[in-house]
Amino acid sequence: MLKKGYEDTSIQDIIDKINATKGCLYYHFKSKRDIAAAVIQEIIKPAYVNTWGDAYKAKDPISELCFVIDKVYGQKAEELAETGCPLGNLVLELSAKDKVLSKHVNEIMILWQSFIEKAIETAKSSRIIRQDLNAKNISGFITGSFEGCIMLSKSSHSKAILEDCFSTLKDYLNSLRTDGR
């Protein structure tokens, strides 16, 4: 589904990829939609929780968010430049076509944004960043920018574009600091 998209991935593609039989697959799942929902809930969602969920716990949440961006780049830059972000791809493909899967994907987007919002609020409470900042708006900007960086990289198949864009996103985060770093 990551390489071909949800619509263009057939049940046979899935069977071939996991080396299973059709009977085995249909024993566990009623449809391709059920398989996609399981992938979203059991693979994609935990990945976002593991990657972004604890940023607010850091002594310096802004540095932690920058660290997470660097970590994603370090571990996934090649893949992201080729195939894009699994969540972002699903948002683009499913938002107007499948209300059930779109709901699952949107829940992760909201959860991800809430993790960043919590990190921004923690940074405000610790006086790391300016007090006048709107954490909800900033968290939406960061998630949108992060996904946008990946889309730009994917459209040109360029890891360098991803690196530059992520660097600018980290510069933005650091510009929020009260100490002028």
Side-chain angles (χ1 to χ4, degrees):
M1 285 185 201
L2 181 59
K3 289 183 179 173
K4 291 176 124 182
Y6 173 75
E7 288 292 326
D8 290 338
T9 299
S10 69
I11 290 292
Q12 191 59 51
D13 291 331
I14 296 167
I15 290 167
D16 293 345
K17 183 71 175 173
I18 64 172
N19 199 24
T21 64
K22 196 176 272 192
C24 177
L25 189 71
Y26 281 114
Y27 177 79
H28 294 284
F29 302 99
K30 293 178 185 172
S31 65
K32 182 170 77 168
R33 176 194 275 171
D34 289 346
I35 295 166
V39 167
I40 293 165
Q41 292 299 317
E42 296 177 26
I43 297 171
I44 297 174
K45 184 177 183 178
Y48 277 78
V49 171
N50 291 336
T51 302
W52 299 93
D54 290 337
Y56 77 96
K57 293 179 182 178
K59 185 175 179 174
D60 181 346
I62 298 302
S63 291
E64 185 65 19
L65 290 172
C66 290
F67 172 78
V68 169
I69 293 167
D70 284 338
K71 183 176 161 187
V72 169
Y73 179 83
Q75 293 176 350
K76 302 257 184 204
E78 230 24 86
E79 179 182 331
L80 293 171
E82 262 323 292
T83 61
C85 171
L87 184 63
N89 290 349
L90 288 171
V91 167
L92 292 172
E93 186 175 7
L94 299 175
S95 61
K97 290 181 183 175
D98 189 306
K99 299 288 184 204
V100 172
L101 292 177
S102 180
K103 181 178 178 254
H104 288 299
V105 170
N106 190 48
E107 287 171 1
I108 299 171
M109 293 296 294
I110 291 167
L111 181 64
W112 178 25
Q113 189 171 340
S114 76
F115 293 149
I116 295 173
E117 183 177 350
K118 195 170 185 178
I120 298 297
E121 286 293 350
T122 301
K124 281 177 66 173
S125 297
S126 300
R127 304 224 177 261
I128 293 168
I129 62 173
R130 300 188 323 263
Q131 299 302 297
D132 63 317
L133 298 172
N134 182 311
K136 185 169 185 62
N137 290 347
I138 290 170
S139 65
F141 178 75
I142 293 168
T143 55
S145 296
F146 188 89
E147 282 298 328
C149 289
I150 294 169
M151 282 193 271
L152 286 171
S153 174
K154 177 184 175 182
S155 71
S156 61
H157 301 285
S158 171
K159 210 169 97 168
I161 288 175
L162 184 62
E163 183 177 28
D164 291 344
C165 196
F166 276 2
S167 178
T168 302
L169 182 56
K170 293 184 304 181
D171 288 345
Y172 167 75
L173 283 165
N174 283 310
S175 78
L176 305 175
R177 292 181 178 281
T178 55
D179 63 6
R181 278 201 269 171

